Amino acid sequence: MYLGRTTLSKFLIEELRGGSGDSDLGALLVDVAAAVKAIAAMVGKGALGSQGLAAPGAAVAPIDPSDQARQTLLQACEWGGLVAGMAAPALEAPYTLPPQYQRGPFLLLFEALEDSRDRLGNAAVGTLFSVLRHAGGAPPEPTSFQQAGVQQLAAGYALYGPATMLVLTVGRGTHGFTLDREVGNFILTHPDLRIPAEGGECAIDTSHERFWEPPLRRYVRECKAGRAGERGRDFSLRWIDSTVAAVHRVLTVGGVFMVPRMRADPDAPVDEALPQDTLPLHQLCGVNPVALLIEQAGGLASTGRGRVLEVEPKALHARVPVILGSRDEIERIERYHAEHDSGTDEAYVSPLFNQRSLYRAEVRRGSSRGFGRQP
């Protein structure tokens, strides 16, 4: 029944055959996949998997699923002599390997389980990971992890939904694997994923529209106008709090996913006092993995003003805005940013849905010269 199906292990052996150190990279990814299976089982139990143990009659302290997932990944990857160190957003400093374990040639960055509000609603969540090369034999410092996204050796995510999927790249395309729970193997089900050049999905949290820069407002306004507007076709605007779930949808059906640069005043410098939920994503553990996957699938990943994978991290837990997805859509958004920065864009005024003339700013300015007249 299972003969002839490509497992993750077989895929990695064939994909990485012949390269120096590539077999070690494959082995590390197999360890990550083993941790993903364990996390999938834990997530599948829901609240039942977060109940601690206690003596009869004593209070039971719930176990944080994110802590469980993080410990699962650390323990799965620390012992094999493949990593020199690991880092995650919840860890202030890189994780130091226990002294009994040998250091390896790789650095592993991960977000073991997204801190997503969707998890509370029993919706899909995910794991993100990225693999970098470690130079030298010394224990890694925080700066060792601060490598631009173009230096990633491998990256991927796991999506815990009705089926558990593992989507990864080793720099030769983006490939999807589905966990066969009966046999415990990840099976290649989506080889060489390709994101459509243009798409009708726009994934962005519109509750933060007041903090967006003008080029982004221009693009989303066009999407909302649909076929009656400049684009001449309808778009679907939706927001999923899970980065993995949102990116996976865009990867498979096309469109854009955006966690953009935000400002309290769009014409002022970046405001550090913005609400916590408006901050960009973690660069090393969040943005870089999905950006590489999208690029390897034929899409683009940008800050709005350049390739996000070329941004040099300024800190271990640096954050960076990201706009990624279908090539044609990202190129349009980058063009809107360039036009805005050069002052060549023009604000669009709707003749049908604008404010009534009495309340428009230019009318108020002209009221001193005469009611309703233009200055």
Side-chain angles (χ1 to χ4, degrees):
M1 179 178 178
Y2 301 104
L3 296 178
R5 299 200 298 176
T6 301
T7 64
L8 174 64
S9 298
K10 180 181 178 182
F11 170 85
L12 290 171
I13 290 171
E14 294 178 347
E15 193 74 6
L16 299 174
R17 180 180 287 129
S20 174
D22 283 351
S23 61
D24 286 344
L25 177 58
L28 175 57
L29 293 174
V30 168
D31 286 346
V32 171
V36 165
K37 295 176 192 177
I39 296 170
M42 178 196 73
V43 171
K45 293 179 181 179
L48 298 176
S50 61
Q51 299 299 315
L53 299 177
V60 178
I63 302 172
D64 186 342
S66 296
D67 289 341
Q68 281 185 289
R70 184 166 56 255
Q71 288 302 316
T72 297
L73 254 166
L74 291 172
Q75 292 170 7
C77 300
E78 67 182 1
W79 62 274
L82 298 170
V83 296
M86 294 179 275
L91 302 176
E92 291 187 7
Y95 176 75
T96 302
L97 297 182
Q100 67 267 31
Y101 296 137
Q102 179 182 351
R103 286 193 300 272
F106 304 115
L107 301 172
L108 178 65
L109 300 107
F110 62 81
E111 186 165 3
L113 192 62
E114 293 178 288
D115 185 17
S116 166
R117 288 169 293 186
D118 286 345
R119 194 172 70 199
L120 301 176
N122 199 28
V125 291
T127 294
L128 293 148
F129 62 89
S130 170
V131 181
L132 301 169
R133 180 80 64 186
H134 178 54
E141 301 289 336
T143 53
S144 304
F145 294 85
Q146 290 169 219
Q147 302 179 33
V150 292
Q151 296 177 267
Q152 293 176 104
L153 302 176
Y157 61 72
L159 176 63
Y160 309 110
T164 295
M165 283 199 69
L166 180 65
V167 179
L168 64 81
T169 180
V170 291
R172 304 170 191 174
T174 296
H175 310 277
F177 301 79
T178 302
L179 178 61
D180 187 330
R181 294 188 176 96
E182 295 180 3
V183 296
N185 276 337
F186 277 105
I187 307 298
L188 180 63
T189 51
H190 298 73
D192 196 22
L193 284 163
R194 306 300 296 174
I195 184 171
E198 66 174 27
E201 297 278 330
C202 180
I204 188 169
D205 188 349
T206 55
S207 68
H208 299 146
E209 185 172 357
R210 64 193 183 279
F211 301 125
W212 295 348
E213 293 184 290
L216 200 65
R217 294 182 184 181
R218 175 183 175 185
Y219 178 79
V220 174
R221 183 174 60 237
E222 291 178 355
C223 292
K224 289 180 178 179
R227 69 179 62 189
E230 179 181 334
R231 301 299 302 276
R233 57 189 178 92
D234 290 331
F235 288 79
S236 173
L237 271 74
R238 63 180 69 222
W239 178 247
I240 306 171
D241 195 46
S242 163
T243 297
V244 170
V247 170
H248 185 73
R249 181 172 177 85
V250 167
L251 175 62
T252 52
V253 304
V256 295
F257 166 82
M258 298 184 279
V259 181
R261 184 181 186 181
M262 299 194 203
R263 300 176 176 182
D265 179 352
D267 297 320
V270 175
D271 186 352
E272 298 295 341
L274 287 173
Q276 182 71 24
D277 62 352
T278 67
L279 294 177
L281 299 176
H282 284 93
Q283 181 177 3
L284 298 174
C285 300
V287 171
N288 284 352
V290 294
L292 184 61
L293 289 166
I294 290 292
E295 284 197 359
Q296 288 291 314
L300 294 176
S302 173
T303 64
R305 294 176 171 85
R307 189 184 182 200
V308 74
L309 289 178
E310 294 178 352
V311 176
E312 294 289 340
K314 296 180 180 179
L316 178 62
H317 298 306
R319 293 172 179 264
V320 66
V322 63
I323 299 171
L324 57 78
S326 297
R327 177 175 293 272
D328 290 355
E329 301 302 317
I330 303 305
E331 288 177 344
R332 175 182 288 266
I333 295 170
E334 286 188 328
R335 175 165 59 84
Y336 287 178
H337 279 81
E339 290 175 357
H340 172 72
D341 293 346
S342 65
T344 59
D345 62 333
E346 295 182 1
Y348 173 75
V349 178
S350 170
L352 296 178
F353 302 106
N354 200 12
Q355 294 175 317
R356 294 180 182 272
S357 60
L358 178 61
Y359 302 104
R360 287 168 60 179
E362 60 268 28
V363 173
R364 293 199 302 271
R365 287 196 302 269
S367 61
S368 61
R369 297 186 175 93
F371 181 77
R373 292 184 180 178
Q374 298 297 314

